[in-house]
Amino acid sequence: MRASIRHVLALSVCAASCVAALGTAPALAEDALQKMSADPSQWVIPLGNYSSQRFSDLKQISTGTAKNLHPVWTFSTGVLRGHEGGPLVIGDVMYLSSPFPNTVFALDLNQGGKILWKYEPKQDSNVIPVMCCDTVNRGVAYGAGMIFLHQADTTLVALNAKTGKVVWSVKDGDSSKGETGTSAPLVVKDKVLIGVSGGEFGIQGRMTAYNIKDGSKAWQAFSSGTDAMIKFDPAKTMTMGKPVGANSSTSTWQGEQWKNGGGGTWGWISYDPSLNMIYYGTGNPGTWNPTQRPGDNRWSLSIEARDADTGVAKWVYQMTPHDQWDYDGVNEMILADLPVHGKMTKGLVHFDRNGFAYVMDRVSGKLLEAEKYDPAVNWASKIDMATGRPVLVNQFGPGVQGADHNTKGVCPAALGSKDEQPAAYSPTSHVFFVPTNHVCMDYEPFKVSYTAGQPFVGATLSMYPPSGQQNLGNFIAYDANQGKILWSDPETFSVWSGALATAGNVVAYGTLDGNLKVVDQKTGKLLYKFKTPSGIIGNINTYTHDGKQYLAVLSGVGGWAGIGMAAGLTEDTGGLGAVGAYKQLSNYTQLGGVLTVFGLSD
Amino acid sequence: MKLPTILLSLAALTACAAFVPVPAMSATDAVDAKPYTVKGGKVDMGTYKGYLYYGDQCMRCHGPDGLGSSYAPNLTDSLKSMDKEQMQNTVINGRKDVNTASQKVMPAFGTNEDVVENLDNIYAYLKARSDGVLGRGHPEHLEP
């Protein structure tokens, strides 16, 4: 098996050098996309660019003009479920997708958002209840004249961007086993990449690359399994500066538990064209009961760096060995060239669910920094920089405390200090703008049995704000070089919307109670806000049309964030019952998917 | 199909056990019997297990403490009008409400060992919540 990986590697190296020798690049989607993403008038990649920075060079909307923003047009998706992700803008056309049934709309910006075409896949509704936390869809991808939709039932479909007609379609997984699709695809060169959701159903997570031409499978790399399955080269794939060695995943599970090992890949994918490497994170190991799965459970909760052509891993880093809290590692990997310890570094910055902000050398995988980005984080005192492992606080380890014991006061909660909602980064000031959750939990693990297609969880939890505090979220500015929070805007509820930073020195985000907010990058001072029709869990994008800059965002409360909508959160166990703990989101907002586009007054 | 037989034999067993005269239980008493015990905020082991398995299997849709979410109903309300048999039927067989305005699907838990074994416990927990005798959050249990 290993020989065949080498063979593939050798072939791709040859192919790459042959092309280089000829001096003519093939007409790859990546080249076009790379150029297009440098044009700030469009928004062509879900997270703005391959580096996932969510930064735009546009500056008509600025600290000086933001007060003149107002909604200019709106569009209803007709769906009531949670609306994550955001629209793409390719030329004069905006593309967006809805939660199940995953309708895709192409809207003509020249005709005030007129529907050019609409595509609604036929899907078995039995997929709905196996989607862990609502039927979200985090957006479509564009490449080579096609729009790629990753459906709830794991079908990846390529649509003609002009007509909406199906070019090809491929089924990636099996929803009867709890495998579902929620993540946005990423187009890289001649391939389109998708992950899989289902960490709560004992799936075996993986990243899969399909050939853009016909939807045939190019490579697939599992999160747990044999070296061949996970596409690791025992001698060359590195972790913490050393080769991973043989059986680096299977040796860290009891028996064959890795087969239901979880490690969903439902987050975002980044790509560095100069290194030809892709980056993404893996989710929680299956079951949430740590006592039932001894070992480090590799490579769940890890950052994976892989060769874009072959899928073979260059390096890997497990942030949370032997998960005891559901700290998925899938949040976005922001690729940034930034000063670290006084030296410009090709960095990868990742704000993990576990409450630590990691700075890695994205070439070598070396761990450079790991600091808490919410002072409430208590499950680990720090990350040991020599071993890369968290220094655990036993009191807050449900696995240490044992099954059938209720471990109280763990921060952050299973939602993480931040979930999938992507942060923004300013390459000029090197500051990160991070939407965060400020929530703690009680966690009780217990024995669970595996049945295909049924929840495989084995824990129950209650969530509440940190002791004595009222806000469930903060929107923060973070300096990764110093590991320091520069400013923090408290929010009543978790901030569950993707942020956008621009050259106009503003940063925009949405709130669960439905406000779009624009604040000053330097101070966090509020410059503009508008209450949209529903809570915002979507990501804010920007583009220009006829020379004018716009902001676009989907509102439509739901998702994991919607779980507390009806109930509010429980009183904290210390009996300190913060006033905010009983706040109910349903008193502020109701369901409904609507796109709102904002512009400046003339 | 097997259920009536089991019920019958259970009844026979109970009848056999009742050699010693015990106060006769009237039909109304049986109907009114609560599936849970709540004393001083603590619950019986069955109800406690019901809480755990609710959190395990139901919470990601029906929300913390049975209170519902943005996409699934509040069960403390549902159980005010739904009886035990209806509730357990829904859990075992699932339910669908899919149309242009709604995409609600309850999965069938009939093959899920943990749910089937704890069907009565989950009902007891939710009924205690629905009757308003058990508050929110993680309950303590009475000594088994």
Side-chain angles (χ1 to χ4, degrees):
Chain A
M1 291 302 252
R2 220 175 293 154
S4 70
I5 291 177
R6 290 222 181 91
H7 184 62
V8 173
L9 256 177
L11 269 177
S12 64
V13 165
C14 165
S17 52
C18 292
V19 168
L22 282 171
T24 50
L28 299 171
E30 167 228 346
D31 303 327
L33 263 184
Q34 179 71 342
K35 263 187 215 132
M36 287 167 78
S37 68
D39 166 15
S41 67
Q42 311 186 76
W43 191 275
V44 300
I45 291 173
L47 295 192
N49 55 23
Y50 276 134
S51 303
S52 300
Q53 295 180 349
R54 301 193 54 78
F55 180 85
S56 166
D57 285 326
L58 298 178
K59 46 183 151 189
Q60 288 176 14
I61 298 167
S62 67
T63 45
T65 62
K67 62 177 187 294
N68 302 324
L69 278 166
H70 60 98
V72 289
W73 61 280
T74 60
F75 175 81
S76 168
T77 65
V79 179
L80 297 177
R81 294 291 198 119
H83 286 60
E84 289 184 349
L88 296 182
V89 175
I90 315 288
D92 293 329
V93 183
M94 179 182 283
Y95 299 92
L96 56 98
S97 59
S98 80
F100 188 94
N102 304 135
T103 314
V104 181
F105 296 97
L107 306 178
D108 187 350
L109 299 176
N110 290 329
Q111 298 187 71
K114 186 188 167 201
I115 300 169
L116 286 173
W117 55 260
K118 166 182 161 176
Y119 173 77
E120 186 177 319
K122 293 271 170 278
Q123 298 183 80
D124 181 351
S125 61
N126 282 324
V127 71
I128 292 173
V130 288
M131 304 191 75
C132 145
C133 318
D134 207 356
T135 53
V136 297
N137 182 283
R138 300 190 188 88
V140 290
Y142 172 84
M146 290 182 276
I147 291 290
F148 298 93
L149 169 69
H150 186 194
Q151 295 176 193
D153 67 1
T154 74
T155 301
L156 174 67
V157 57
L159 304 170
N160 180 312
K162 285 209 169 68
T163 63
K165 293 269 182 300
V166 175
V167 180
W168 53 257
S169 164
V170 61
K171 191 82 186 288
D172 179 67
D174 181 353
S175 55
S176 74
K177 290 185 191 157
E179 296 177 345
T180 55
T182 60
S183 59
L186 184 74
V187 173
V188 171
K189 300 164 109 175
D190 56 351
K191 298 181 181 67
V192 53
L193 276 59
I194 55 168
V196 67
S197 302
E200 279 60 53
F201 291 83
I203 65 151
Q204 191 182 354
R206 71 261 167 176
M207 180 63 60
T208 311
Y210 291 95
N211 291 308
I212 209 169
K213 207 168 52 183
D214 55 8
S216 58
K217 195 184 283 182
W219 56 259
Q220 184 165 57
F222 286 88
S223 303
S224 59
T226 63
D227 294 340
M229 279 174 166
I230 63 176
K231 287 194 166 281
F232 275 29
D233 182 330
K236 287 186 182 159
T237 301
M238 306 292 278
T239 187
M240 289 300 292
K242 294 188 191 102
V244 290
N247 307 316
S248 64
S249 168
T250 50
S251 65
T252 64
W253 295 84
Q254 191 174 65
E256 295 197 322
Q257 287 185 333
W258 53 266
K259 288 185 174 171
N260 306 116
T265 47
W266 56 275
W268 308 96
I269 313 163
S270 302
Y271 172 56
D272 182 332
S274 65
L275 299 171
N276 195 35
M277 280 158 80
I278 59 152
Y279 304 87
Y280 64 92
T282 58
N284 63 286
T287 122
W288 287 22
N289 176 3
T291 63
Q292 223 174 307
R293 48 164 169 76
D296 277 355
N297 311 136
R298 290 173 175 174
W299 294 96
S300 65
L301 311 187
S302 302
I303 301 174
E304 311 225 347
R306 294 181 181 274
D307 182 286
D309 297 326
T310 63
V312 173
K314 295 278 183 71
W315 60 262
V316 62
Y317 169 62
Q318 188 178 43
M319 293 170 286
T320 316
H322 186 61
D323 180 40
Q324 309 177 47
W325 311 267
D326 189 35
Y327 292 155
D328 286 50
V330 303
N331 295 352
E332 76 288 357
M333 307 294 163
I334 304 176
L335 312 185
D337 296 342
L338 78 177
V340 184
H341 309 146
K343 196 179 138 205
M344 278 308 277
T345 306
K346 277 183 179 293
L348 174 155
V349 179
H350 170 76
F351 296 89
D352 196 56
R353 282 254 285 257
N354 73 13
F356 286 87
Y358 294 84
V359 183
M360 315 288 298
D361 178 323
R362 72 173 180 271
V363 182
S364 66
K366 186 171 188 261
L367 174 64
L368 302 174
E369 280 281 352
E371 296 290 338
K372 295 176 183 179
Y373 61 95
D374 181 348
V377 174
N378 66 9
W379 67 280
S381 56
K382 61 173 184 173
I383 306 300
D384 181 326
M385 297 303 287
T387 62
R389 297 178 77 93
V391 178
L392 302 181
V393 176
N394 286 343
Q395 182 193 347
F396 301 118
V400 178
Q401 298 298 319
D404 305 317
H405 176 89
N406 188 26
T407 299
K408 296 181 180 176
V410 187
C411 310
L415 305 165
S417 294
K418 175 184 162 306
D419 202 270
E420 59 77 33
Q421 62 276 35
Y425 165 74
S426 164
T428 46
S429 65
H430 302 300
V431 174
F432 294 82
F433 303 97
V434 192
T436 72
N437 308 318
H438 192 53
V439 185
C440 303
M441 67 175 170
D442 296 350
Y443 190 111
E444 179 165 351
F446 50 89
K447 194 176 173 301
V448 64
S449 17
Y450 174 77
T451 309
Q454 294 285 332
F456 188 51
V457 179
T460 190
L461 46 115
S462 331
M463 294 186 270
Y464 43 81
S467 192
Q469 296 187 29
Q470 300 188 19
N471 57 310
L472 295 171
N474 292 299
F475 186 73
I476 66 168
Y478 185 84
D479 180 331
N481 183 28
Q482 300 178 66
K484 199 173 137 195
I485 297 169
L486 302 175
W487 52 257
S488 177
D489 286 348
E491 285 289 346
T492 310
F493 301 103
S494 295
V495 187
W496 212 282
S497 138
L500 167 77
T502 75
N505 294 318
V506 295
V507 55
Y509 66 99
T511 66
L512 274 185
D513 51 14
N515 283 296
L516 170 106
K517 292 189 174 180
V518 179
V519 303
D520 187 321
Q521 281 181 22
K522 281 210 177 68
T523 60
K525 187 182 161 234
L526 183 68
L527 302 169
Y528 173 76
K529 75 168 180 175
F530 179 81
K531 183 90 151 62
T532 66
S534 180
I536 301 177
I537 58 171
N539 307 334
I540 299 162
N541 296 350
T542 190
Y543 64 95
T544 63
H545 186 248
D546 285 341
K548 288 183 185 170
Q549 187 187 355
Y550 297 94
L551 300 180
V553 66
L554 281 169
S555 50
V557 77
W560 221 156
I563 198 93
M565 174 164 169
L569 299 173
T570 44
E571 189 178 4
D572 78 51
T573 45
L576 297 169
V579 182
Y582 285 107
K583 280 191 186 124
Q584 292 192 4
L585 192 51
S586 55
N587 292 342
Y588 293 78
T589 193
Q590 289 296 309
L591 308 179
V594 174
L595 171 84
T596 307
V597 178
F598 297 84
L600 290 168
S601 311
D602 288 325
Chain B
M1 289 305 271
K2 274 186 185 159
L3 204 58
T5 330
I6 293 170
L7 279 177
L8 274 176
S9 31
L10 268 176
L13 271 174
T14 323
C16 291
F19 272 124
V20 186
V22 287
M25 212 157 69
S26 75
T28 19
D29 282 344
V31 171
D32 286 350
K34 300 292 183 197
Y36 52 80
T37 306
V38 182
K39 277 184 194 155
K42 293 186 176 180
V43 300
D44 64 282
M45 278 311 286
T47 305
Y48 183 74
K49 276 185 148 179
Y51 163 76
L52 293 182
Y53 284 95
Y54 173 82
D56 181 37
Q57 301 284 340
C58 322
M59 191 193 79
R60 269 168 312 285
C61 293
H62 288 287
D65 313 303
L67 290 170
S69 73
S70 62
Y71 46 93
N74 178 333
L75 297 174
T76 68
D77 281 344
S78 301
L79 288 197
K80 290 193 166 85
S81 54
M82 196 181 222
D83 67 19
K84 183 176 173 181
E85 197 185 346
Q86 289 170 321
M87 180 264 194
Q88 297 193 337
N89 256 330
T90 312
V91 174
I92 295 299
N93 300 314
R95 187 178 191 170
K96 275 193 190 185
D97 180 14
V98 180
N99 54 55
T100 48
S102 170
Q103 294 90 23
K104 287 186 176 149
V105 181
M106 163 98 175
F109 285 94
T111 60
N112 187 317
E113 207 180 297
D114 291 331
V115 172
V116 173
E117 280 177 8
N118 286 283
L119 209 47
D120 287 350
N121 295 334
I122 294 170
Y123 176 74
Y125 164 71
L126 288 172
K127 192 64 183 163
R129 289 278 306 127
S130 176
D131 287 352
V133 297
L134 180 62
R136 299 191 53 180
H138 192 292
E140 298 295 320
H141 59 75
L142 298 159
E143 287 313 310

